[in-house]
Amino acid sequence: MSHYSGPLLTRPVFDAMTRALRKGQPRITASFDLGQSQAEAALATDGWSLHGQHFAYPEKIRDRTVYYFDGEDFTPLSRFGQYGLIKLVPTDWGVPTFEIDGIKMLPSARVSPLEDARAKVALVQPAGKVILDTCGGLGYFARCCLEAGVARITSVERNPEVLWLRRHNPWSPDPDSAAAGGRLLLRHDDVTETITSVADASVDAVLHDPPRFGIAGELYSLEFYRQLARVIRPGGRLFHYTGSPNRLTSGRDVPAEVITRLAQAGFKAERALDGVFGIRR
């Protein structure tokens, strides 16, 4: 399914439109794609127009919510699914994060989610390489790899609601776009099943950004790490997000546990950023 190409609204943009209308201004220049570009919208009392399409004003716009046009009204980019309520959340950086049942999945307080992804992707040096992105999420790892000149990247995501957000998020890479150039394969699958069909030593590097241990413990298991070691070529790189769970409350040092299991699977690993960096021995 192709990416959504209509306007997106947030509370700041809607408030700016409302203020301009009250002042009698017939037009406003703003971003209707979460900061990717600026466009001029025509304002009237009975609605507003963008790129030749007319829209009614939404009755209500909530904070921390992104709205898309569903053909009739502006509707929040959120859905209930198997894993709870999935919601796209705007940030001060333009690039959105997302939440599952109110839990933020990507950092955004001190850095843009995209800049955070770019720093992690740089660790695996993707230029000219074949990359496996195990838990694709909104696709920011994939976008950064494409920008860095990756040869091919397979991005796996099992949550259909996250894939739906990804299709509506202008910052998520479109596999069918000219920018992707056929280098991005997006798979709706469970990576624990996908990886069993990946050939031995066929991947140059892996980006592994699983949900927290309490939700997806199988993605932190020795069995899964052995599969990663099997598909990565010797000398291949791995970045594994772990986060920084509070040892005082959890009683665990998850990064240390990950380093130990990765070593057992065949990696030389160490702490890096908010996770673990490893090299296949």
Side-chain angles (χ1 to χ4, degrees):
M1 184 181 295
S2 61
H3 262 43
Y4 170 77
S5 59
L8 297 173
L9 290 180
T10 60
R11 180 65 180 272
V13 172
F14 180 71
D15 287 349
M17 294 169 66
T18 301
R19 288 192 300 270
L21 187 64
R22 287 174 179 170
K23 293 178 180 178
Q25 298 175 2
R27 297 184 178 278
I28 184 174
T29 298
S31 178
F32 299 94
D33 56 6
L34 302 180
Q36 283 226 336
S37 66
Q38 297 284 310
E40 186 178 75
L43 306 177
T45 55
D46 64 341
W48 62 287
S49 301
L50 182 70
H51 304 315
Q53 187 174 3
H54 186 78
F55 305 97
Y57 292 108
E59 293 185 4
K60 185 176 183 180
I61 293 282
R62 296 186 178 90
D63 292 330
R64 301 185 66 257
T65 304
V66 179
Y67 291 77
Y68 78 105
F69 187 67
D70 66 3
E72 296 182 1
D73 300 303
F74 279 91
T75 304
L77 270 172
S78 61
R79 272 187 177 183
F80 281 99
Q82 178 182 353
Y83 304 99
L85 177 64
I86 309 293
K87 177 182 179 181
L88 197 69
V89 179
T91 72
D92 293 339
W93 312 97
V95 183
T97 182
F98 74 107
E99 293 178 351
I100 300 180
D101 282 343
I103 299 174
K104 188 168 65 174
M105 295 292 108
L106 299 172
S108 62
R110 299 178 181 176
V111 66
S112 157
L114 190 60
E115 286 303 316
D116 177 76
R118 192 168 284 126
K120 294 168 181 175
V121 166
L123 291 175
V124 304
Q125 300 175 349
K129 293 182 177 178
V130 175
I131 307 288
L132 174 63
D133 177 19
T134 62
C135 304
L138 294 181
Y140 295 157
F141 278 173
R143 178 180 175 129
C144 294
C145 284
L146 291 171
E147 291 174 352
V150 72
R152 186 172 74 253
I153 178 168
T154 300
S155 184
V156 185
E157 176 55 52
R158 71 178 182 180
N159 190 324
E161 281 68 46
V162 172
L163 290 173
W164 178 75
L165 290 184
R166 188 164 170 160
R167 289 195 297 270
H168 287 79
N169 178 15
W171 291 95
S172 297
D174 182 352
D176 298 326
S177 68
R183 294 175 294 152
L184 170 58
L185 173 63
L186 178 58
R187 294 190 57 170
H188 177 200
D189 202 358
D190 186 329
V191 71
T192 61
E193 298 177 4
T194 300
I195 201 167
T196 61
S197 63
V198 178
D200 294 359
S202 61
V203 172
D204 294 308
V206 168
L207 292 160
H208 186 43
D209 186 6
R212 65 183 186 273
F213 182 86
I215 294 177
E218 70 278 7
L219 297 178
Y220 296 76
S221 68
L222 178 58
E223 178 183 2
F224 184 73
Y225 294 164
R226 283 175 172 158
Q227 286 287 351
L228 293 180
R230 179 184 63 79
V231 303
I232 298 179
R233 297 186 178 100
R237 295 177 169 229
L238 163 72
F239 176 75
H240 183 330
Y241 169 79
T242 62
S244 303
N246 191 322
R247 293 180 63 182
L248 295 178
T249 56
S250 69
R252 305 182 66 173
D253 185 345
V254 174
E257 294 176 13
V258 166
I259 289 171
T260 297
R261 284 194 292 273
L262 284 175
Q264 293 172 340
F267 291 89
K268 179 181 179 181
E270 60 185 22
R271 296 174 191 259
L273 301 177
D274 54 1
V276 172
F277 170 71
I279 295 179
R280 179 69 168 95
R281 293 197 296 264

